[in-house]
Amino acid sequence: MRFVDVHWQDHGFFLDPRAYLAELPRLRGVLPPGAWAFASDPGHYDIPGAVRCVKDLELAGIRPATDKSGRLVLEFAPNRFKHDTGLRISYSGVRHFSVEYHHAIDWMRVDTVLLDEILPDGERDEDGAEGGGCVHEIALTDASITVRCQDLRAEWGHSG
C-alpha cells in the first residue's frame, strides 16, 4: 500500500491510516463513485470503535465470475467482538485480481482484515491508455488482496 502503513512490530501489527486519510480529500472526484463512498465513510478507519470499520473483519468468501463479465465478490464475516454485521464488496470491470499468501502467522484460524486502501488506477492497458477505475488493496493478517477494477460497491449487513 502506498499511504496506509501496516507492518509487524514487536508482538503485534502496527496500523496507521493517517497518511491515507490526509490524501483522501484529494481523491474526491478521482475515485469512482462506489470506491469513494466506501473509502470516505466516516467509520471506515475508526479502528477503536466503529462497527463500520474494516479492521478485524474475517475473510469468508471469494467469488470470481465464471463468465467474462469482470465481476468479483469478496465477503467478510463480522468479528464477534466488534461488528454487528459483515461486509460484501462487489467489484465491476475487474482487470486484475490476486491473493498473495504470506504463511507467516500459522496460529490464527482465519485471515482478518488489518486495513485497506483504495487509489485511482493509473496502470496502462495494452494500447497504452490509462486503465481508469481504482485499485483496492487489502492487508490481511497473513495475506494481501489486490483488485484493479472500474468500481466497487460495499454493502454492510451481510453475515459473511
Side-chain angles (χ1 to χ4, degrees):
M1 287 189 278
R2 185 169 163 199
F3 295 101
V4 174
D5 186 5
V6 174
H7 65 271
W8 185 262
Q9 179 178 319
D10 299 322
H11 301 290
F13 287 100
F14 174 80
L15 310 171
D16 187 358
R18 289 178 296 178
Y20 182 68
L21 291 171
E23 183 69 16
L24 197 55
R26 290 186 274 278
L27 300 178
R28 183 182 196 110
V30 180
L31 285 176
W36 170 255
F38 182 51
S40 63
D41 182 300
H44 192 116
Y45 293 99
D46 186 7
I47 296 171
V51 294
R52 290 173 66 109
C53 179
V54 297
K55 169 81 171 78
D56 297 322
L57 287 168
E58 299 175 355
L59 181 62
I62 298 173
R63 293 182 178 76
T66 56
D67 57 16
K68 295 185 179 185
S69 65
R71 289 186 296 244
L72 169 71
V73 175
L74 299 181
E75 294 194 358
F76 298 91
N79 175 294
R80 63 187 177 121
F81 298 109
K82 182 173 184 177
H83 303 98
D84 295 331
T85 63
L87 173 69
R88 175 182 292 146
I89 305 174
S90 302
Y91 299 88
S92 59
V94 174
R95 295 182 295 279
H96 170 86
F97 167 66
S98 64
V99 179
E100 182 180 327
Y101 289 98
H102 308 298
H103 297 292
I105 301 173
D106 59 0
W107 45 267
M108 295 188 74
R109 181 177 61 84
V110 296
D111 277 317
T112 62
V113 176
L114 295 171
L115 283 179
D116 69 331
E117 175 180 283
I118 305 171
L119 294 173
D121 188 2
E123 185 174 274
R124 302 203 175 265
D125 65 17
E126 301 94 35
D127 300 325
E130 277 197 30
C134 60
V135 180
H136 188 196
E137 292 183 71
I138 305 169
L140 303 170
T141 48
D142 207 23
S144 57
I145 295 174
T146 303
V147 181
R148 290 183 183 281
C149 63
Q150 282 306 113
D151 201 359
L152 61 89
R153 185 178 76 235
E155 299 173 278
W156 289 94
H158 297 275
S159 58

